[in-house]
Amino acid sequence: MMGNAEHPWLTVVGLLVGAVAFGFTPLAMAWLWARIYSPQKQGAEKNATYECGLESKGDSWTGFGASYYIYAIVFLVFDVEVVFLLPFAVAFTGLSAGACLAMLVFLLLLVEGLVWAYQKDVLTWA
Amino acid sequence: MADDLKELKIELSKNGIFTTTLEELYNWGRKNSVWPLTFGLACCAIEMIATTMARYDLARFGAEVFRPSPRQADLIIVSGTVTKKMAPQVVRLYNQMPEPKYVIAMGACAISGGPFRDGYNVLKGIDRYIPVDVHIPGCPPRPEALIHAFMTLQKKIEEQALAGDARPRHLHAELPSEFPVPAFGEHDLEPPMNRDVFTAEPGNPLKVIQ
């Protein structure tokens, strides 16, 4: 039995120290090796943020065009609506008046978006 | 290693005792874990890709991990025609790689400009700007040629000294790890070559300028 009667946790402490040393010894050796055999050579290019070979131009704090929201709205109108329309059509005969009204309000909101998009000439192809 | 030590090592190995040095162990690890940069320029890149695939399997040499970032790569395989438009980017990528770093110039274009040598827009070999460790001729070189170049590089890494005056560039703290990036001049790249790297005389590559 390895344990000490006065200090029953001594084995665990020993194991803990061993476990930490097992993790840190390779790290310490790598650090020591790098100190001796890997001279640091810093440079403007080496420390540059961009790593595609090109020089970065301008400031990263620029404005982004928000016009993509139009596609998001049209996507909602044509795509997400269908997802809800299909179960609505299947369960139509068994629906209560309240459920039907809620669904029509939902449709109205989306049709509103369609009218708005139509007025903005978003629906033209060319 | 001194000759008598080498003899002792051979003598011991005959008796079943394996001995090594820290330097050999270190270089053995390095040569078997070279990570190339995911970087291709032209048709040679297709052969480079073929080399990494199952048929030729560059992974056998510990070099299957093509890194998408120069920060994680040890080797840049300049595979293809280096146009003058592209040359600054190649040099910049090389500069961003951590040391020790190696260069394989793959194919006729990368080593000399190849069939496009007389083109107004083609660099006559990437060794004008960065130090090339292994040149491979061919148009394009077959995957076997790239594997041979890789093995040649491995031999080179194996022989690099860890200490002393003969140690390679990356172990000399005073030698730079970055090389000047050429700029687009009016007619050519400025400067047209880096004289610290490119020691051959233009038009006469066998004559070396001291």
Side-chain angles (χ1 to χ4, degrees), chain A residues 70-93:
Chain A
I70 290 168
Y71 294 94
I73 286 172
V74 176
F75 176 77
L76 272 181
V77 170
F78 285 105
D79 197 284
V80 178
E81 189 180 7
V82 170
V83 175
F84 286 100
L85 266 183
L86 189 71
F88 177 58
V90 170
F92 184 68
T93 48

Side-chain angles (χ1 to χ4, degrees), chain B residues 190-201:
Chain B
E190 298 287 340
M193 65 197 74
N194 181 0
R195 271 284 162 222
D196 295 335
V197 176
F198 188 69
T199 45
E201 191 179 83

Side-chain angles (χ1 to χ4, degrees), chain A residues 37 41 45-46 48 51 53, chain B residues 69 71 92 171 175 178:
Chain A
Y37 291 117
K41 292 182 183 181
E45 299 252 321
K46 212 173 182 180
E51 46 191 49
Chain B
S69 164
R71 320 271 191 218
R92 212 172 276 124
L171 291 175
L175 292 180
E178 289 191 12

